[in-house]
Amino acid sequence: MKIHGRPLPLLPLCASVSLLGGLTFGYELAVISGALLPLQLDFGLSCLEQELLVGSLLLGALLASLVGGFFIDRYGRKQAILGSNLVLLAGSLSLGLASSLTWLVLGRSAAGFAISLSSMACCIYVSELVGPRQRGVLVSLYEAGITLGILLSYALNYALAGAPWGWRHMFGWAAAPALLQSLSLLFLPARTDEAAAHKDLIPLQGGEATKLGLGRPRYSFLDLFRARDNMRGRTTVGLGLVLFQQLTGQPNVLCYASTIFRSVGFRGGSSAVLASVGLGAVKVAATLTAMGLVDRAGRRALLLAGCALMALSVSGMGLVSFAVPMDSGPSCLAMPNATRLSGLSGDSGLPRGISPPPLPTISKSQAEPVLSTSKKTKPHPEAGNPTAPLLPALSPASPASPSPAPEQALLHWTALVCMMVFVSAFSFGFGPVTWLVLSEIYPVEIRGRAFAFCNSFNWATNLFISLFFLDLIGAIGLSWTFLLYGLTAILGLGFIYLCVPETKGQSLAEIDQQFQRRRFALSFGHRQSSAGVQYSRIEVSAAS
């Protein structure tokens, strides 16, 4: 598209679509932390009703992950994003004008559906439009947007905390990035074959655009589990990354961030402030680092390095907690404030992944769901917000606890360092790269359904872990739980090393060829590198 005969800067437009999509996702995830306290006061919400309100976002997102792939493949990526933004606007309107819990739940469910559908469509759309050299950084920009959206929600929640009906404005502002994203989409093509017809557009994946013509192969959903074109191997890679992203415990480990900050001397509200803003800043820095390295070092290198550091750091936290026991956190009844029900994405994915022990979350690292199991925790009046990542502004100051003994100070700081390393490792490994790889490995004809299928496992696995997290702590203890997460990260390291191919610098068509040439996922190993394999462009004559 041109204005006054001059081509529009389409690369920045693609970047804005990715960034604004992530910003909307992160904001919607975290805004409930600031809105929940005034909602509780205005509507007299019980613990169960608060849990229902917080969890309704997850229910909508899980529904979108189950059906959204069919919308993406049938109606196109651009139309799916625009449609999700319309649903988000309707949800924001319902929340902003709500006069009962029913309308609040409906609005949050609509918002969850919208951000889940948009997250899938955005990653696929951007990965298909841009060339191999820009694909990694632009898709990873979505994960950076998630973290920025969470930090933005902190700022607005703080600014509107004392305003009359401030929670209505908190929910309403979610529409702003969605509207700006829709505006950017108006200047971008709907499909890659349409993009190929414009000389001024970004170079597309070699052969990908022409494959969208007549004679293209057709895939059914069941083909994801068949040997055809090594679809079974691709599904193994996708599901493995999603499952290990959640099973390494990133959302649940963050539940103890505030406790660790208090242990090194930051007491009262300051522990929640540092846990929220400090970890948020660390996540942003790590995600930006991943964006700079993903197209240089490669996907495998970031995944391997991130998973190895996660294994070391969470194991270190487990060992430290043997000597310095940590509180399991307060219950809903013990914390009459918004901070107990909240969560932080992690990414990709999190986006690409926020939640207290009662409420672990999702990542797009996309995405990390929020669900309460607070009935299993016991009240503890001195425990601060266990969710580290969430809104510090509304946290009441906790009674000052005694300073740690000098011999324990080193262990406390060790736990803090391990926490920071863990958050950073997730944010430049599993957080952004999982969703980037998922947007690359499937054929274009089934990419939406395949991405959604894997995303549904992301939400479902997080839900499962959230439900049984406290049971696991009760059965084996917090220290052994952390060590179990460390063992899972080691298994994930082996999976990445053996099964996940390097896709750096390759077009989507070349990645497709790479999978078709390999019968099993395990044939991808360290012996294969993109530099050592020769590829030929897929030449398909464009049908007229």
Side-chain angles (χ1 to χ4, degrees), residues 44 310 316 385 477:
M310 288 176 69
N385 173 19

Side-chain angles (χ1 to χ4, degrees), residues 16-264:
S16 68
V17 168
S18 186
L19 180 64
L20 291 170
L23 196 69
T24 305
F25 189 103
Y27 185 88
E28 282 288 4
L29 275 183
V31 69
I32 189 65
S33 66
L36 197 58
L37 174 57
L39 285 172
Q40 180 190 8
L41 298 177
D42 289 345
F43 292 93
L45 301 180
S46 66
C47 285
L48 180 60
E49 290 171 333
Q50 293 176 59
E51 293 164 8
L52 175 63
L53 178 58
V54 174
S56 59
L57 183 84
L58 166 63
L59 297 178
L62 183 59
L63 176 62
S65 68
L66 294 175
V67 303
F70 295 93
F71 292 128
I72 294 172
D73 283 339
R74 181 174 181 85
Y75 299 106
R77 289 67 161 128
K78 179 178 178 179
Q79 287 76 8
I81 300 173
L82 291 173
S84 70
N85 286 342
L86 287 176
V87 175
L88 182 71
L89 292 176
S92 298
L93 185 64
S94 173
L95 288 166
L97 301 178
S99 58
S100 67
L101 177 64
T102 300
W103 285 106
L104 289 171
V105 171
L106 288 175
R108 286 290 287 173
S109 299
F113 185 94
I115 63 175
S116 180
L117 177 60
S118 177
S119 68
M120 297 183 291
C122 277
C123 291
I124 296 173
Y125 182 65
V126 173
S127 73
E128 292 176 346
L129 273 187
V130 301
R133 294 182 179 179
Q134 297 88 22
R135 188 172 63 237
V137 65
L138 289 184
V139 176
S140 299
L141 194 60
Y142 190 94
E143 183 74 14
I146 292 177
T147 310
L148 290 173
I150 292 172
L151 293 177
L152 177 63
S153 74
Y154 296 161
L156 285 179
N157 287 349
Y158 178 79
L160 297 172
W165 302 105
W167 59 269
R168 298 185 186 274
H169 299 284
M170 294 176 192
F171 287 129
W173 275 106
L179 290 173
L180 291 175
Q181 185 192 46
S182 299
L183 182 62
S184 298
L185 282 168
L186 296 179
F187 300 100
L188 288 170
R191 301 185 308 275
T192 52
D193 57 343
E194 179 183 326
H198 294 77
K199 301 293 185 180
D200 56 311
L201 287 180
I202 301 167
L204 298 174
Q205 323 304 322
E208 183 83 33
T210 53
K211 284 179 66 180
L212 292 174
L214 297 178
R216 63 186 182 184
R218 292 184 178 274
Y219 296 94
S220 69
F221 178 77
L222 293 179
D223 284 329
L224 290 174
F225 314 101
R226 294 171 178 158
R228 176 190 177 188
D229 293 338
N230 195 21
M231 295 298 292
R232 188 182 301 148
R234 304 177 201 230
T235 302
T236 299
V237 172
L239 285 182
L241 287 175
V242 166
L243 291 176
F244 279 113
Q245 181 192 53
Q246 292 297 330
L247 293 175
T248 48
Q250 189 260 358
N252 293 335
V253 170
L254 285 178
C255 295
Y256 292 89
S258 184
T259 299
I260 293 175
F261 272 87
R262 286 199 314 276
S263 72
V264 296

